[in-house]
């Protein structure tokens, strides 16, 4: 069992170290515990974001959506909020929830137009847009009647 520091900075650093060392299950547990212990702490937004990234990396897209959603909802002024919206929409796109993904990308563009995530959202929106309808095939030219001489 891991000794958990009482100091929130050291606690968060431990979670980051475990994640960097590839101990994702331990990191996930520590980030979740951090968020419960210090719900109003600004780094809690980072903890939820890192949880989302771990879930996304494990292809647990629904859990990722929930974790990223906590950042966007509970910490809208966090510098992680635009990226959290981007990753929420990307998770939805993977799950084929394309209309929901489009709505999130559009919300990101409206709420955080100058954020670096906004330029990525524009690209992803274009990728999700249905291709323009194909023009109908040309009608065959009328056949000329042979004159019977």
């Amino acid at each position: 069992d891991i000794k958990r520091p009482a100091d929130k900075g050291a606690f968060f650093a431990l979670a980051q170290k475990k994640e960097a060392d590839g101990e994702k299950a331990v990191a996930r547990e520590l980030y979740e515990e951090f968020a419960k212990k210090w719900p109003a702490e600004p780094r809690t937004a980072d903890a939820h974001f890192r949880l989302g990234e771990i879930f996304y990396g494990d292809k647990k897209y629904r859990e990722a959506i929930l974790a990223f959603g906590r950042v966007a909802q509970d910490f809208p002024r966090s510098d992680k909020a635009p990226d959290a919206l981007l990753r929420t929409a990307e998770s939805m796109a993977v799950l084929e929830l394309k209309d929901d993904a489009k709505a999130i990308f559009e919300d990101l563009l409206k709420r955080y137009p100058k954020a670096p995530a906004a330029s990525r959202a524009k690209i992803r929106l274009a990728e999700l847009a249905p291709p323009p309808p194909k023009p109908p095939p040309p009608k065959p030219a009328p056949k000329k009647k042979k004159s019977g001489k």
Side-chain angles (χ1 to χ4, degrees):
D1 204 30
I2 300 165
K3 185 178 184 320
R4 283 147 167 80
D7 174 70
K8 58 188 163 190
F11 196 105
F12 193 82
L14 176 63
Q16 288 176 308
K17 181 178 182 338
K18 292 297 178 185
E19 184 182 3
D21 291 347
E23 295 182 53
K24 294 198 167 127
V26 175
R28 190 176 70 227
E29 189 180 309
L30 291 169
Y31 286 131
E32 286 170 347
E33 200 174 316
F34 183 93
K36 282 181 188 144
K37 277 187 171 183
W38 296 287
E41 160 70 31
R43 275 180 292 196
T44 297
D46 295 325
H48 286 299
F49 188 83
R50 295 310 317 151
L51 281 167
E53 288 293 308
I54 290 169
F55 285 130
Y56 191 93
D58 289 343
K59 296 181 172 30
K60 294 180 179 177
Y61 302 111
R62 292 185 191 286
E63 290 92 335
I65 289 168
L66 294 174
F68 291 131
R70 293 289 304 269
V71 179
Q73 183 180 330
D74 298 349
F75 301 90
R77 291 190 187 94
S78 163
D79 62 343
K80 291 287 186 209
D83 292 315
L85 282 174
L86 179 71
R87 298 299 273 159
T88 299
E90 288 177 338
S91 299
M92 289 175 167
V94 171
L95 293 171
E96 295 294 319
L97 302 170
K98 291 191 166 73
D99 290 341
D100 294 324
K102 281 185 204 172
I104 300 288
F105 284 133
E106 287 164 357
D107 186 41
L108 164 56
L109 291 170
K110 189 171 66 180
R111 288 169 61 183
Y112 307 101
K114 292 183 170 78
S119 58
R120 178 101 176 102
K122 283 180 192 165
I123 293 166
R124 295 291 283 131
L125 257 177
E127 291 170 357
L128 286 177
K134 291 181 181 175
K139 291 182 179 165
K143 293 181 181 175
K144 294 181 180 174
K145 291 184 181 173
K146 293 180 183 175
S147 54
K149 287 188 183 174

